[in-house]
Amino acid sequence: MIMFDTLTRDFLPNYGNDWVKAPNFDKLREKTITFDNFYGGSMPCMPARRELHTGRYNFMHRMWGQLEPFDHSVFEVLQKNGIYCHLVTDHSHYFEDGGATYHNRYSTWEGFRGQEGDRWVPRKNKEEDNTNPLNKKGISAEQHYANRTRQKKVEEMSSVKTVQAGIDFLTTYQQEDNWFLQIECFDPHEPFYVPDEFRKLYEKTPGKNPFFWPRYGKMDDTLSADALEELQNEYAALISLCDQNLGRLLRFFDENRMWEDTLIIINTDHGFLLGEHNWLGKNIAPMYEEIIHLPFFLSHPDLEKGIRSTMLSQTIDLPATLLDFFKVDNQLDMDGKSIIESLKKNTSVHEIHPEVIFGTNGGHVNIFDGRYVYMRAAVDPSNGPLKIQTLNFSQMRGFIKKEILDQMLLKKGNRFTNQFPYAELEVSTFIDSYSIGHLLFDLEKDKAQEMPLDNPEIEERMIQKLLAIMKKIEVPESEYIRLGLESYL
């Protein structure tokens, strides 16, 4: 599995882009099955990885946080069945409070430092200042400029080291059976920092202090078209570095004929808004297509390559897919299903899922049925009540505050907690879905999501589909109240 972070499909040639230079991604047209209806689920980074381990939605039960004591991890199941699992990554969130239980589920792992605000190089060592007023400010930005002092050349970039570590593993294990390797690159996640040789692909003379790290939120009216173009160019340059890394792996696969006997997946957790819908970033904005509709590629030794699949599928399907490939009986209660099994049947768009849901804890709750996307907002300005179910009390960095823990309730287990007792906590979020309101789009007629529908009949139909999934996955009662659906309880 070659996993990138924040890889937006509209910036890849495989999905219609004609200006980003990514020839190795383009080669995937012939080497793999290209998926046209693959979606994320629980957003953003660590919630998506929790789906990758468990095959379950979690965004209505828990915010960003560790893998829980009650969670099953597919990588532990694989190990119990004789599959060696190795992770190489420069995704620093794995090694912070809110992610510290994921990487330990693999047989072995190797991590590389320096991405984003990774607390790595002493900040006094920073060599330059963040002088562009459009860029993000604060401690993470200061940390980034310190980390840069050890990442000047291409070979020093942590994603390049990550891919090399993956190639080293493959060199050692290529003659072996029964192993799984996850090569996970934080790029092209922001900040869009990349050596000038890649920036020159898009700018003849790259500026010294570009707009490369946007603050999440609605675009400022003063943001010029030139500044937005510069930001998009910086992102494209980082994709070109990712493309070079991908090319190194594709050459290895070709030289060692790995396409003939290896399951190969190229995926991401989410995309990013770079001005679309007048937004920058993710999380705070509604889960528009640019964020949640993902590029996805799969090559299986027994399946035809060079084709496209319209099957509606998600990140939650990957654990079941891995168990299927390794012929391990799937005894876990998952929301996802095997992609391989469905591809072999050559069945319809809705073979795996009639509908899929996605969202961020405390944000819009979204459902897509293959045509309509319905985004259900909070019905009260407080965005409450918002309750989580957990046995871990970490946030991304640091821990949940004492005044919240003072009010926690211990409750009996449910499906989500695999019948473990759990703590229920009432929390808050910076997301404001209430001021945006409910949104309904017909993607068949409005792929760009520019014309929200006002159609009570379709809205009610989508609500009923959403309620059926919410009941099945046993979401907290507080979610029904927050979304104004308590009358359906």
Side-chain angles (χ1 to χ4, degrees):
M1 177 182 291
I2 306 164
M3 185 172 183
F4 298 94
D5 194 299
T6 316
L7 186 63
T8 303
R9 58 181 261 143
D10 288 346
F11 278 70
L12 296 181
N14 318 65
Y15 294 97
N17 185 285
D18 61 2
W19 65 274
V20 175
K21 296 172 177 59
N24 293 298
F25 276 105
D26 202 30
K27 288 178 183 176
L28 297 177
R29 295 178 196 259
E30 299 176 1
K31 299 284 188 181
T32 70
I33 301 169
T34 300
F35 282 66
D36 288 324
N37 278 313
F38 194 92
Y39 281 76
S42 303
M43 293 286 106
C45 301
M46 297 326 291
R49 281 150 187 82
R50 192 171 175 193
E51 290 189 347
L52 182 60
H53 282 251
T54 67
R56 284 184 174 183
Y57 299 117
N58 60 77
F59 71 93
M60 282 190 276
H61 295 85
R62 178 68 160 95
M63 56 191 177
W64 181 298
Q66 298 174 352
L67 202 66
E68 297 277 355
F70 51 73
D71 282 328
H72 296 300
S73 170
V74 69
F75 304 111
E76 291 187 320
V77 175
L78 289 174
Q79 289 179 67
K80 289 176 182 177
N81 286 273
I83 312 301
Y84 191 94
C85 299
H86 186 61
L87 168 70
V88 294
T89 184
D90 64 341
H91 195 293
S92 63
H93 294 311
Y94 275 119
F95 317 125
E96 296 168 341
D97 298 320
T101 55
Y102 292 86
H103 59 284
N104 295 305
R105 309 281 71 79
Y106 299 81
S107 310
T108 45
W109 60 272
E110 187 172 5
F112 298 90
R113 303 296 303 273
Q115 284 283 13
E116 197 187 23
D118 181 17
R119 278 34 170 184
W120 180 36
V121 177
R123 287 192 285 276
K124 191 174 177 64
N125 291 350
K126 64 179 182 177
E127 290 183 353
E128 52 188 311
D129 293 319
N130 186 7
T131 57
N132 190 317
L134 297 174
N135 284 327
K136 182 177 178 178
K137 300 296 189 291
I139 189 172
S140 290
E142 290 180 26
Q143 183 66 62
H144 165 73
Y145 276 93
N147 293 343
R148 274 193 187 198
T149 62
R150 299 187 190 175
Q151 299 184 88
K152 297 292 187 183
K153 301 175 183 178
V154 174
E155 59 269 23
E156 296 173 333
M157 304 297 288
S158 59
S159 65
V160 176
K161 293 179 179 179
T162 297
V163 169
Q164 185 57 52
I167 291 173
D168 292 344
F169 178 91
L170 292 172
T171 302
T172 304
Y173 277 82
Q174 61 177 307
Q175 299 304 321
E176 304 290 334
D177 287 325
N178 296 326
W179 52 263
F180 170 81
L181 170 65
Q182 184 171 328
I183 301 172
E184 184 174 337
C185 297
F186 194 63
D187 290 338
H189 192 289
E190 80 279 0
F192 309 137
Y193 171 58
V194 64
D196 281 354
E197 63 190 82
F198 295 93
R199 300 178 66 214
K200 286 176 181 176
L201 295 172
Y202 304 94
E203 299 177 58
K204 290 183 179 179
T205 352
K208 185 178 179 183
N209 294 299
F211 182 24
F212 77 110
W213 197 346
R215 295 183 287 268
Y216 292 1
K218 274 281 189 182
M219 281 205 311
D220 192 319
D221 292 338
T222 63
L223 184 67
S224 69
D226 287 344
L228 187 59
E229 181 181 359
E230 181 179 52
L231 179 66
Q232 293 170 351
N233 283 341
E234 297 296 322
Y235 177 66
L238 191 50
I239 287 182
S240 291
L241 171 63
C242 294
D243 185 77
Q244 185 181 87
N245 283 331
L246 177 63
R248 294 162 62 201
L249 291 164
L250 297 186
R251 284 191 295 275
F252 189 96
F253 299 160
D254 288 342
E255 291 166 1
N256 294 279
R257 302 173 67 179
M258 289 182 62
W259 304 101
E260 298 175 10
D261 64 357
T262 309
L263 174 68
I264 298 172
I265 292 170
I266 297 93
N267 66 323
T268 188
D269 50 359
H270 53 72
F272 200 78
L273 289 167
L274 288 157
E276 300 89 351
H277 313 285
N278 206 34
W279 285 90
L280 294 172
K282 57 182 191 289
N283 304 355
I284 297 175
M287 290 286 121
Y288 288 113
E289 286 279 282
E290 291 83 359
I291 300 174
I292 204 68
H293 193 176
L294 307 182
F296 184 78
F297 310 91
L298 179 146
S299 173
H300 186 287
D302 300 333
L303 294 172
E304 183 181 358
K305 299 172 178 59
I307 61 173
R308 301 185 83 98
S309 171
T310 59
M311 186 170 58
L312 186 58
S313 44
Q314 284 190 291
T315 303
I316 56 169
D317 298 318
L318 296 183
T321 300
L322 293 176
L323 293 176
D324 185 2
F325 179 75
F326 286 111
K327 296 181 172 54
V328 174
D329 185 30
N330 187 0
Q331 299 181 1
L332 304 180
D333 182 5
M334 294 181 177
D335 299 326
K337 300 177 182 178
S338 171
I339 292 172
I340 295 170
E341 181 182 346
S342 298
L343 286 172
K344 286 180 177 178
K345 293 178 182 177
N346 194 25
T347 46
S348 70
V349 174
H350 297 293
E351 170 63 22
I352 297 183
H353 302 291
E355 303 89 20
V356 296
I357 61 169
F358 48 86
T360 301
N361 186 253
H364 281 89
V365 172
N366 313 274
I367 182 166
F368 175 53
D369 68 356
R371 177 172 180 177
Y372 297 103
V373 172
Y374 180 56
M375 302 177 171
R376 183 77 184 185
V379 296
D380 188 272
S382 70
N383 194 40
L386 181 59
K387 297 181 180 181
I388 64 170
Q389 300 177 348
T390 186
L391 286 175
N392 277 333
F393 304 117
S394 61
Q395 297 179 300
M396 181 189 295
R397 297 188 183 100
F399 302 95
I400 294 173
K401 295 178 180 178
K402 180 179 181 298
E403 50 265 35
I404 295 176
L405 297 177
D406 282 341
Q407 304 301 316
M408 71 178 173
L409 300 175
L410 185 63
K411 295 208 165 185
K412 292 182 179 180
N414 56 26
R415 175 189 182 263
F416 177 71
T417 68
N418 291 309
Q419 306 310 318
F420 277 56
Y422 64 91
E424 182 181 81
L425 309 177
E426 185 157 2
V427 297
S428 59
T429 180
F430 52 84
I431 300 171
D432 176 18
S433 64
Y434 171 80
S435 65
I436 298 169
H438 312 319
L439 295 170
L440 176 66
F441 296 100
D442 181 352
L443 293 191
E444 189 175 286
K445 298 180 179 179
D446 179 25
K447 292 185 185 299
Q449 294 176 293
E450 295 174 337
M451 301 175 290
L453 298 178
D454 181 8
N455 188 316
E457 182 181 342
I458 296 175
E459 181 177 14
E460 179 60 27
R461 194 159 71 232
M462 297 302 287
I463 288 172
Q464 293 302 321
K465 292 178 179 181
L466 175 60
L467 287 165
I469 297 177
M470 291 174 65
K471 181 179 180 180
K472 178 183 176 184
I473 64 176
E474 296 184 12
V475 305
E477 289 187 7
S478 56
E479 272 298 274
Y480 290 86
I481 299 169
R482 187 179 75 87
L483 300 172
L485 300 174
E486 62 267 35
S487 64
Y488 295 95
L489 276 170

